[in-house]
Amino acid sequence: MKKISVFLVLLAFCATLFLPFGAAAAPQEPPSWRMVDGAQNKIDPTLQQTLASLAPAEMTTVVVRLRQQAILPTGHGLKRGERLRKILNVLQSTATTTQGPLASFLRLRSRQGAVQKFTSFWIFNGFSVTANASTIQELAALPDVLSITPDTLEIAPVSSAEPLFSNPQPNLTLIAAPSLWSLGYSGQGVVVATMDSGVDLSHPTLANRWRGGSNSWYDPYGQHPTPVDLSGHGTWTMGVILGDDAAGTSIGVAPNAQWIAVKIFNDQGTSTVTALHQGFQWLLDPDHNPATDDAPQVVNNSWTYASLGCYLEFEPDLQALRAAGILPIFAAGNGGPATGSSYSPANNPSAFAVGAINNSSAIYGLSSRGPTTCGGSTGVFPEVVAPGVNIYTTDLAGYYTTSSGTSLAAPHVAGGLALLLSAFPNLSASEQEAALLASAVDLGSTGPDDTYGYGRINLLAAYQTLASASPTATPIFTDSPTPTEIPPSTATSTPAPTQPPTFTASPSPTWTATPTRTATS
């Protein structure tokens, strides 16, 4: 009789896995048979120490990853919009069919005062949960929970603190951007996103290139409804991507592209794991309507963890971007000249890392180097190099500045992809990557190496590589996808339906990496 009862209970539990997310089933206490041994092994060691130090009523925020993750299709042979819709469907349906029981439990604990708030995610199938220590221990004991990690995070922009000044034109000529302009490809029809400190919308060079509308700016902290930049770093990187010639010389690689942005630092200059996951998720569906194609074609990330090492927290997010046809561009970091000086997420298997060179193609002294095997990575680190020394770009309050670092190198690749996607809009992420690597100008030791990667990007050669395989490329002279318009006076930064906290509370800063301006106008 006991065996039959256990079987029936297990059968009932399995049935709950297929309830829609947020179904009306009454929340239940997790029965003892659902708990598993080894729960402590699911909790990050640093987090275990934090939990041990908490008073019974104290709360902390954690990231809970479910065991079942989406199996992402390749999307080969599909047009960009079809590929994106397919990926969104897989990601969101996986979350819908697996998160119900855990969400029900969290709602129960919230009514009991043990959970302050929680946020569901489909980009990696999990939750951000603010709860007391005992509830977090309960979560770890649930069999469908894979891991629980802290929400605290130390990341930093990766530009140099040393200002340098000179004429900017050589950095664009060095990568053959003007050659593609002459062919009719200047970024038209392409939207580029940055995950950075924001963008100064008041800058005349950048204001007219913002896509605009409620689906073109995301502040996960809810502090600013329209684009701003308090440190300047994001404005520098955006100027390299698509700044025009308003300063009397061309400063951006793809001056006819449009931009959207995620502000990953709050006004105190800090960030959290939750906010970054929210940002990546927003990028895949900015207007929260999977039927529309308003995701960016290119995403630039000029930030890293503050410490060297291998951290795979955002690898599922990067895999999702790749599957949707977006190659995640990352600054390699400023950890050089030592070998083995790679940073995450740039050294993650799904990232495309960019090191920095000067305008004579010599490696920038601080540019991070390989080797790395982070997450099973193979090959060299970084993948390529681009100009990152003495780069003239946009600054706050309508000014211009010059700065150095891999933060300035990565936007050259992001802008370069915008040029290539003007000609070949349906390229997969793998095709974009292959074209950049196959056409790179070999530098340093013969062949790929852990200083220069495959070499300096050459946009004209990349275009020719792609044209030889698809000779029907024609310039795109259409506007970028239509923004979701809202009146400026009522503009808001609206999170996705599955993204906002079910319960709200005042956020608390959880790390101390503060972006600062590293160059002057």
Side-chain angles (χ1 to χ4, degrees):
M1 180 64 70
K2 183 176 180 180
K3 290 183 178 179
I4 294 175
S5 299
V6 171
F7 171 76
L8 291 174
V9 172
L10 285 170
L11 185 62
F13 168 67
C14 291
T16 66
L17 292 178
F18 299 96
L19 287 173
F21 176 67
Q28 300 292 325
E29 289 284 349
S32 59
W33 59 263
R34 290 188 62 189
M35 303 303 181
V36 296
D37 293 331
Q40 289 300 313
N41 294 332
K42 299 181 182 179
I43 302 177
D44 177 87
T46 302
L47 178 58
Q48 291 182 18
Q49 297 176 7
T50 300
L51 297 180
S53 67
L54 292 181
E58 279 190 283
M59 304 273 183
T60 190
T61 300
V62 298
V63 174
V64 180
R65 193 179 306 275
L66 298 191
R67 189 172 300 279
Q68 184 170 335
Q69 294 292 309
I71 300 175
L72 299 174
T74 61
H76 289 320
L78 297 179
K79 292 184 178 180
R80 169 185 155 77
E82 296 170 330
R83 183 190 299 122
L84 178 62
R85 285 190 291 273
K86 188 173 183 179
I87 294 303
L88 289 174
N89 178 64
V90 170
L91 289 169
Q92 294 176 358
S93 63
T94 299
T96 297
T97 58
T98 60
Q99 292 183 3
L102 186 56
S104 182
F105 169 66
L106 291 172
R107 283 192 289 268
L108 172 65
R109 287 290 181 261
S110 68
R111 286 198 292 270
Q112 297 170 345
V115 172
Q116 187 179 65
K117 65 178 180 179
F118 66 90
T119 303
S120 69
F121 287 92
W122 44 258
I123 193 169
F124 69 94
N125 197 21
F127 293 83
S128 171
V129 180
T130 302
N132 61 23
S134 63
T135 299
I136 293 169
Q137 299 286 1
E138 285 185 292
L139 290 171
L142 298 177
D144 47 349
V145 170
L146 176 65
S147 64
I148 303 180
T149 53
D151 193 42
T152 54
L153 179 70
E154 290 188 9
I155 64 172
V158 287
S159 56
S160 169
E162 179 184 4
L164 299 168
F165 299 88
S166 77
N167 191 304
Q169 181 110 22
N171 57 294
L172 301 184
T173 303
L174 189 62
I175 62 173
S179 297
L180 266 71
W181 301 346
S182 66
L183 294 175
Y185 307 110
S186 56
Q188 64 272 32
V190 177
V191 176
V192 182
T194 60
M195 296 266 286
D196 214 301
S197 61
V199 179
D200 183 2
L201 187 59
S202 70
H203 201 294
T205 299
L206 304 177
N208 63 345
R209 304 316 305 165
W210 183 45
R211 186 173 68 181
S214 61
N215 63 339
S216 298
W217 167 254
Y218 183 55
D219 177 2
Y221 314 99
Q223 295 174 317
H224 299 280
T226 54
V228 297
D229 184 5
L230 302 185
S231 76
H233 189 270
T235 301
W236 305 345
T237 61
M238 191 61 78
V240 175
I241 294 171
L242 49 69
D244 58 26
D245 59 359
T249 182
S250 296
I251 63 172
V253 181
N256 277 326
Q258 289 189 307
W259 64 266
I260 63 176
V262 178
K263 184 177 181 289
I264 63 172
F265 297 98
N266 62 23
D267 286 358
Q268 291 70 48
T270 65
S271 189
T272 64
V273 173
T274 296
L276 282 162
H277 279 308
Q278 288 176 315
F280 281 123
Q281 181 166 287
W282 178 84
L283 287 172
L284 282 179
D285 190 15
D287 67 352
H288 323 312
N289 181 0
T292 59
D293 178 9
D294 64 338
Q297 288 94 320
V298 183
V299 176
N300 185 79
N301 298 269
S302 288
W303 58 273
T304 67
Y305 275 73
S307 302
L308 296 174
C310 177
Y311 306 96
L312 296 170
E313 174 66 39
F314 303 108
E315 174 63 14
D317 307 61
L318 306 188
Q319 290 175 357
L321 290 180
R322 271 189 174 255
I326 304 169
L327 185 63
I329 305 301
F330 274 85
N334 295 337
T339 59
S341 53
S342 70
Y343 287 87
S344 290
N347 59 11
N348 283 197
S350 296
F352 190 85
V354 183
I357 55 174
N358 64 19
N359 288 334
S360 298
S361 293
I363 195 69
Y364 173 59
L366 296 179
S367 185
S368 288
R369 331 270 164 113
T372 180
T373 57
C374 182
S377 295
T378 58
V380 296
F381 179 93
E383 272 77 22
V384 295
V385 292
V389 178
N390 203 15
I391 305 301
Y392 189 67
T393 186
T394 47
D395 198 7
L396 298 181
Y399 288 98
Y400 295 83
T401 190
T402 310
S403 189
S404 297
T406 57
S407 267
L408 285 304
H412 285 80
V413 177
L417 283 178
L419 299 183
L420 296 174
L421 289 166
S422 284
F424 308 97
N426 292 313
L427 293 176
S428 69
S430 295
E431 290 169 332
Q432 296 169 43
E433 179 177 41
L436 290 172
L437 297 182
S439 60
V441 178
D442 189 24
L443 300 172
S445 303
T446 302
D449 60 66
D450 284 313
T451 298
Y452 294 93
Y454 279 75
R456 184 187 73 235
I457 61 167
N458 184 330
L459 300 179
L460 178 60
Y463 168 82
Q464 292 169 338
T465 298
L466 292 167
S468 65
S470 179
T472 58
T474 56
I476 301 174
F477 292 108
T478 60
D479 290 334
S480 297
T482 303
T484 300
E485 295 295 344
I486 56 175
S489 60
T490 60
T492 57
S493 177
T494 307
T498 60
Q499 197 165 277
T502 303
F503 303 92
T504 59
S506 299
S508 56
T510 52
W511 62 287
T512 57
T514 304
T516 57
R517 293 183 65 186
T518 62
T520 58
S521 56

